[in-house]
Structures are given as C-alpha cells and as structure tokens.
C-alpha cells in the first residue's frame, strides 16, 4: 500500500519546503523506492497560469500541459521523473470541482460546506496519485504557512487522513524556522513551539520537525525542541543554509531524515542510497575548470524566481561543461543602442528570456542585433526566439516595420503571427499552446549537433508562432529552421548559419533540464560560451 508523507510549513514562508520535499524524495528514490511529490496551493486561482511572475515566480509547465507551481520544477530536476496536472492542486480547483458537482445535483438536498465537502475533495485529490499502488511513497507539500486562514481546510484534511489511511501509512513533517538573535547570541525555539502548537490546536501532531537555521542547533536545543513539541530527539532535523540547493539531499542524508521517515512508515532501510550520479554532478559543480559570464536579458530580472528553471538549467549545463556560469541579469527596458556594447560587450553569451506583452521588447531586439553582429553566442527562448526573428526581419531582410502581432496587430510584416486556432480564444486561463509537442531536427545544424538525434519532444507555453509565409526569405538569407513540428509544420527552432552559436527555440528547453539529464541546448550554449571566452583570452 502507498505511504503518504505530508509536509507543512510554519513561522515564515520561503523556508524551502519544496527543496526539503524534493531532497527527501531523492533520498528515498536513491534507496530504490518509487516516489512522487505533489503540491497543494491554498490560493483561489485555478492554476498559476494567469499570475504575473512578480506574484508567484515562474509558471512551470508539465508534459501534459498543466501550468503549475515552480516547486514542481524542483521535483523534476531532483527526481528526473515527469510530473503532471495531478501533482499541483489549488483551492480554486478544489472549489471549482465541488461547485460543478453541486450544480450537477450530486449533493441534492444537502448544504454544501467546507467540512465535509471541501475537505473530502482535498482528501480525494491527496490520495489520487496513490491509486493502483503506482508509487511506494507520495509526498504532499502544503503551500503557505500553518495558521493562515486559507490553509485550515488542508490541515483538517491531513488530520482526518491519519485515520482514513492508518497511522503506519502516514507521516507529517513540519518545516519551521529557528531564528538567531545576534544581540542575545542565541538561537530561539519559541517560534517553532508556537507553530507546532498551532498544528496541535488543529489536531495534527507532526512526527518530524525540520528546523531551518543559520547556525547549528546543538544537542541541548534539539532536546528542548523535542520536549516541547512532542517529537523524539532524532526527529529534530537541522537544515542549515546551503551554498547550493543540490547540497540539501546530502545534508538531509547526514541528518538521517530518510531513515527516520522509513522507520516511522515501517519500510525497510536496508538498502543504502545510491547517490553516485548525484555526487559526480556535485563534484563537477564545485570544481569547475573554467568560468564564463552569461547575460540573461529579461523584464522580470529583479525577481530571480521568475526565471527559476533557466537559472537551474545553467547550473546543470555548467556542471556538464565543468564550467562556473556567472549569470549577469540585464533588464530589457534598460538596453538601448547607446549602452548595448557596454552592457553586453564583455559577456561570453546572451540568453534572451521568455515573456509576454510589449514592455522591454525593443531592448531585447537591440541586444539580439548586437550579439548577432558581434558573434557572441545567443540563445533565445520563446519570446526570445520570436524577438530574434523580428530582429532578423528588420535588419537583414530589411522589413523595417516587422513586429510580432502580439505587440502590434496591424504590423505590415507579421513575422510572428497568431495561429488560426488561437484567434477564436477569448478566455485567458489554460488556453495557450501548452505542454509537450514533437519536433523534427534538420541534420547538420547546431540543434541536431546538440541533441544528437532527429526527433525530440519539448514543452510549450505560448500563443504566437513563426509566420511560415516568410520562411523562404529567412532560409535564403541565412536564418535556418533547424526544428519543425512534423504534424503541423510550425517552426520550433531557428538558428543562424554563419554565427558561432545563435539558436532560438519556440519551446521552453529549461523545463526539461535535470541533474541527471542537463538540457542539450543549454549544454551546447555553455560550451559555445566557453569557447568564445577562451578564444577572446587567446587573442588578447
Ligand atoms: N508572448 C509570447 C507568446 O505568447 C511568448 C511566450 C513565452 O515567452 N512564453 O507566444
């Protein structure tokens, strides 16, 4: 029977529940258990697809086209197993299901209430991934902080589940903060005690406490937390700030988090975790033989989480190249003809980020013109690819007024166009071209060289597309279409024939980069940046 682990958070948000959940899952997976992680988010949006990245960071897209929380990205990057729509549920989705059922008459005669109807729907969804015993262990992360009004139905659902599924199949991990007061030179346990009390008031006794702290906890402090929070002393886990999130699984291994979880769930701890591949990756990450500076040009650069998967894909690709990738964030609204050389001149590569709307577009196009003309490796993702197409149309094909019709519906040269299917779309939520689609690569291109095979599948999240009316003009002038969707001829990858490395992808390669499988295009791009850097050093 599938076992369930619930992860709640207390005291403060941003303690890294997603990373702790992913790290625990990694350790359990390394011991041979099949594990998945799901996230329940207490907000009312049906999914984060319509949220501004400033609100909630990046929107992560799964194979099946679900727009989800960025924590699912961590789950995939750590476990190398794809997630799906079922792995991310919001309060909005729960209520929508219950209200739809009410309209259908499923509750005829009854008053529909938070308890039991909403909590029953939460429980049903929490158990869904455990059906057919597909997984040995399902880890469920509850978003938000215990004590928030909106988290209450989730905590109540967890309380009830203990009795529904049986105590031997059930475990609660509570993540808290143990702050350090520098004036008193002391770590303080009171916030943790209060946070656990909050859970207890709602009938949930956590089995394990993971304590985020800037300083080691010490035996006495662990004892104190154990005594006041009703947990055994070995179930008080220290989680210190780590240099890289990829250190956390090994930290948790040292704290024996996986062993305690398995013991409490009455599962065998005989097989030691096999983390060879993980350690090799960490070894390369921490011992680079070269270093490059790569710029990310985007309009959300103030908020790192907005481009989370891109940053992580660079970590994976950096390690694969044994190269330290230093990211330089460049605000697209601040790039213009006058300062572009100063901003980009000393970089070994430039990535132009995905995005929506017209803000910052001209800065992106200016940056692309500069790297195209100065032969600096370029990687355009989604909107970044579309900007590369517009730039080429304007400055090489001489279609000076070329634009994407997202920016100007009346442009005389709509080189980036809206698909017929998209023209009828009125609703904004979940209506983009979403999820995995096949792509056929042309031999003897940089894309083919990177992937080393002819057919690939990548994930999408966009409404606009390359306008095939202009295809021949582009191809004739040196912009190749190296990847095309075999079902509908949509252009998926463009690249320049005469340039060290200039590639644009209509899809989002960053979503499929994992520790075990660094994304080939990111690996190829970083490799080109390393070459650029060493060529420059040689000529100096
Ligand atoms: N705004 C563009 C589109 O909808 C690009 C989207 C993106 O970069 N994800 O097609």
């Amino acid at each position: 029977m599938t076992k369930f682990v619930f992860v709640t958070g207390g005291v403060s948000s941003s303690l890294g529940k997603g990373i702790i959940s992913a790290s625990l899952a990694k350790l359990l997976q390394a011991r041979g258990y099949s594990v998945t992680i799901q996230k329940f988010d207490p907000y009312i949006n049906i999914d984060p697809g319509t949220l501004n990245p400033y609100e909630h960071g990046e929107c992560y897209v799964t194979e099946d086209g679900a727009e989800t929380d960025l924590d699912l990205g961590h789950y995939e990057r750590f476990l190398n197993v794809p997630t799906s729509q079922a792995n991310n549920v919001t309060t909005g989705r729960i209520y929508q299901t219950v209200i739809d059922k009410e309209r259908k008459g499923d509750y005829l005669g009854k008053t529909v209430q938070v308890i039991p109807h909403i909590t029953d729907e939460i429980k049903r969804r929490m158990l869904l991934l455990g059906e057919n015993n597909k997984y040995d262990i399902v880890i469920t992360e509850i978003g938000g902080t215990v004590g928030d009004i909106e988290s209450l139905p989730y905590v109540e659902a967890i309380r009830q589940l203990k009795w529904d599924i049986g105590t031997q199949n059930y475990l609660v991990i509570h993540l808290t903060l143990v702050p350090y007061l520098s004036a008193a030179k002391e770590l303080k346990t009171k916030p943790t005690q209060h946070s656990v009390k909050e859970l207890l008031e709602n009938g949930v006794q956590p089995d394990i406490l993971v304590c985020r702290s800037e300083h080691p906890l010490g035996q006495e402090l662990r004892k104190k937390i154990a005594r006041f929070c009703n947990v055994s002393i070995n179930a008080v886990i220290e989680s210190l700030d780590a240099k890289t999130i990829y250190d956390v699984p090994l930290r948790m291994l040292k704290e024996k988090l996986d062993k305690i979880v398995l013991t409490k769930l009455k599962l065998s701890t005989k097989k030691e975790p096999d983390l060879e591949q993980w350690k090799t990756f960490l070894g390369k990450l921490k011992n680079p033989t070269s270093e490059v500076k790569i710029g990310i040009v985007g309009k959300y650069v103030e908020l790192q989480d907005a481009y989370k998967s891109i940053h992580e894909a660079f970590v994976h690709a950096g390690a694969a190249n044994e190269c330290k990738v230093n990211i330089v964030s460049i605000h697209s609204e601040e790039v213009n003809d006058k300062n572009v050389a100063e901003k980009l001149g000393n970089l070994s590569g430039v990535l132009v980020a995905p995005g929506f709307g017209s803000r910052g577009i001209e800065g992106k196009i200016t940056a692309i013109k500069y790297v195209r003309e100065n032969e600096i490796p370029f990687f355009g993702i989604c909107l970044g690819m579309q900007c590369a197409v517009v730039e080429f149309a304007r400055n090489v094909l001489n279609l000076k007024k070329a634009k994407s019709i997202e920016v100007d519906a009346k442009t005389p040269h709509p080189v980036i166009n809206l698909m017929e299917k998209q023209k009828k779309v009125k609703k904004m939520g979940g209506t983009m071209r979403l999820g995995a689609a096949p792509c056929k690569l042309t031999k003897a291109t940089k894309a083919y060289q990177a992937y080393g095979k002819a057919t690939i599948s990548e994930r999408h999240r966009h409404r606009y597309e390359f306008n095939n009316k202009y295809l021949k003009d582009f191809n004739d002038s040196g912009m190749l279409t190296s990847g095309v969707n075999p079902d509908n001829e949509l252009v998926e990858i463009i690249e320049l024939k005469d340039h060290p490395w200039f590639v644009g992808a209509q899809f989002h390669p960053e979503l499929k980069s994992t520790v075990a499988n660094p994304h080939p295009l990111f690996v190829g791009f970083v490799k080109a940046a390393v070459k650029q850097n060493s060529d420059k050093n040689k000529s100096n």
Side-chain angles (χ1 to χ4, degrees):
M1 147 128 201
T2 303
K3 311 264 181 181
F4 290 85
V5 175
F6 297 93
V7 182
T8 58
V11 183
S12 154
S13 58
S14 304
L15 293 182
K17 272 189 307 245
I19 302 294
I20 291 295
S21 303
S23 300
L24 171 62
K26 182 77 226 167
L27 296 178
L28 298 172
Q29 184 194 51
R31 283 180 183 269
Y33 290 103
S34 62
V35 194
T36 190
I37 320 180
Q38 54 183 346
K39 170 125 195 233
F40 281 67
D41 275 311
Y43 54 74
I44 313 284
N45 303 63
I46 298 292
D47 60 42
T50 54
L51 290 178
N52 185 321
Y54 288 128
E55 291 272 323
H56 203 66
E58 165 190 277
C59 172
Y60 186 80
V61 181
T62 57
E63 286 290 295
D64 62 349
E67 297 178 282
T68 71
D69 186 81
L70 58 77
D71 273 342
L72 270 77
H74 291 310
Y75 308 161
E76 290 203 12
R77 287 188 280 273
F78 276 51
L79 295 182
N80 200 35
V81 175
T83 54
S84 70
Q85 179 66 75
N87 294 71
N88 191 198
V89 178
T90 67
T91 292
R93 208 173 273 278
I94 302 276
Y95 270 78
Q96 191 182 49
T97 309
V98 171
I99 291 169
D100 284 351
K101 275 166 104 179
E102 186 273 340
R103 290 290 82 184
K104 258 177 45 209
D106 288 4
Y107 307 111
L108 226 45
K110 291 268 183 294
T111 309
V112 181
Q113 294 180 298
V114 173
I115 299 169
H117 301 101
I118 294 297
T119 45
D120 278 354
E121 179 58 19
I122 293 175
K123 288 197 296 177
R124 187 186 72 80
R125 297 222 182 218
M126 281 177 168
L127 299 181
L128 221 52
L129 289 173
E131 276 177 4
N132 309 323
N133 294 329
K134 193 169 157 212
Y135 298 102
D136 299 319
I137 302 157
V138 175
I139 299 176
T140 303
E141 180 192 344
I142 309 295
T145 309
V146 164
D148 295 347
I149 291 175
E150 54 188 21
S151 300
L152 269 174
Y154 293 95
V155 176
E156 169 59 14
I158 293 177
R159 185 192 71 74
Q160 292 182 19
L161 276 175
K162 182 170 190 168
W163 313 112
D164 294 352
I165 60 177
T167 51
Q168 74 284 11
N169 301 319
Y170 170 99
L171 184 108
V172 176
I173 299 176
H174 188 55
L175 184 60
T176 77
L177 177 70
V178 178
Y180 181 75
L181 286 194
S182 41
K185 293 200 175 55
E186 244 186 298
L187 286 168
K188 290 295 180 189
T189 65
K190 196 77 86 187
T192 297
Q193 295 180 41
H194 279 293
S195 174
V196 171
K197 216 158 124 194
E198 187 89 43
L199 268 179
L200 286 170
E201 271 171 27
N202 293 306
V204 173
Q205 166 66 59
D207 300 281
I208 297 171
L209 296 175
V210 175
C211 304
R212 255 320 269 281
S213 173
E214 285 171 7
H215 297 275
L217 293 186
Q219 203 56 15
E220 280 312 305
L221 203 107
R222 287 184 196 238
K223 250 193 227 163
K224 188 172 170 184
I225 293 175
R227 189 173 314 130
F228 289 122
C229 299
N230 312 325
V231 298
S232 51
I233 184 158
N234 68 351
V236 179
I237 305 286
E238 162 190 286
S239 171
L240 298 175
D241 295 348
K243 270 221 176 74
T244 151
I245 54 170
Y246 301 103
D247 271 337
V248 180
L250 297 183
R251 295 267 181 100
M252 290 302 110
L253 180 70
K254 212 165 143 224
E255 286 286 301
K256 302 194 173 69
L257 175 63
D258 55 331
K259 227 177 188 161
I260 298 158
V261 166
L262 290 172
T263 310
K264 285 189 187 284
L265 291 174
K266 311 231 169 349
L267 291 171
S268 163
T269 55
K270 254 200 221 123
K271 187 181 173 305
E272 287 299 318
D274 173 7
L275 290 162
E276 270 326 296
Q277 198 187 31
W278 193 269
K279 286 181 185 160
T280 308
F281 159 76
L282 274 178
K284 285 188 185 172
L285 184 67
K286 291 181 175 178
N287 302 292
T289 54
S290 62
E291 200 165 334
V292 291
K293 254 197 238 165
I294 290 182
I296 295 185
V297 181
K299 66 172 171 177
Y300 304 113
V301 285
E302 309 89 313
L303 187 79
Q304 266 224 6
D305 273 2
Y307 303 121
K308 192 85 208 161
S309 295
I310 292 177
H311 282 265
E312 298 308 326
F314 274 125
V315 176
H316 310 152
N321 281 288
E322 294 180 42
C323 166
K324 182 167 193 283
V325 178
N326 297 305
I327 300 291
V328 182
S329 296
I330 300 160
H331 204 298
S332 50
E333 281 180 294
E334 286 163 12
V335 180
N336 55 48
D337 287 334
K338 284 204 193 87
N339 65 17
V340 65
E342 179 200 327
K343 281 193 186 287
L344 308 184
N346 67 345
L347 300 174
S348 303
V350 170
L351 181 144
V352 174
F356 294 85
S358 54
R359 186 166 68 90
I361 285 270
E362 290 305 321
K364 287 183 172 174
I365 292 172
T366 305
I368 295 168
K369 179 168 188 279
Y370 181 83
V371 295
R372 181 177 57 76
E373 291 176 344
N374 290 279
E375 305 206 328
I376 296 174
F378 163 79
F379 194 9
I381 298 184
C382 209
L383 181 63
M385 171 268 197
Q386 296 175 356
C387 288
V389 169
V390 172
E391 191 279 321
F392 195 84
R394 286 184 193 173
N395 300 320
V396 180
L397 302 183
N398 223 7
L399 307 171
K400 290 292 173 211
K401 289 186 175 161
K403 280 190 181 157
S404 159
I405 76 156
E406 178 178 15
V407 177
D408 177 7
K410 296 204 180 79
T411 169
H413 304 296
V415 287
I416 299 295
N417 207 3
L418 195 58
M419 274 190 302
E420 267 320 302
K421 256 202 229 148
Q422 282 287 339
K423 287 185 183 155
K424 293 177 224 113
V425 169
K426 292 269 179 317
K427 282 191 186 164
M428 296 302 277
T431 55
M432 278 187 259
R433 183 175 164 212
L434 290 165
C439 172
K440 228 176 146 51
L441 304 179
T442 315
K443 287 222 169 104
T445 58
K446 293 194 179 76
Y448 187 89
Q449 203 182 10
Y451 283 95
K453 57 182 177 184
T455 308
I456 55 160
S457 167
E458 292 283 0
R459 298 183 200 170
H460 292 250
R461 182 173 187 250
H462 55 101
R463 284 186 208 284
Y464 300 88
E465 306 280 352
F466 182 93
N467 187 345
N468 279 341
K469 226 176 79 186
Y470 295 89
L471 189 65
K472 191 169 176 321
D473 297 343
F474 277 84
N475 289 172
D476 290 349
S477 300
M479 184 173 269
L480 311 176
T481 42
S482 45
V484 173
N485 183 318
D487 303 330
N488 50 26
E489 299 299 311
L490 288 171
V491 170
E492 307 285 34
I493 312 178
I494 53 101
E495 61 182 73
L496 286 185
K497 210 162 68 186
D498 302 316
H499 191 283
W501 210 91
F502 188 106
V503 177
Q506 182 56 82
F507 49 81
H508 289 265
E510 72 277 20
L511 301 174
K512 283 185 75 168
S513 187
T514 69
V515 167
N517 283 321
H519 195 282
L521 288 179
F522 274 89
V523 175
F525 177 49
V526 171
K527 195 170 164 197
V530 173
K531 184 167 182 309
Q532 168 90 6
N533 193 38
S534 70
D535 288 352
K536 201 160 78 186
N537 288 343
K538 268 183 226 147
S539 67
N540 278 343

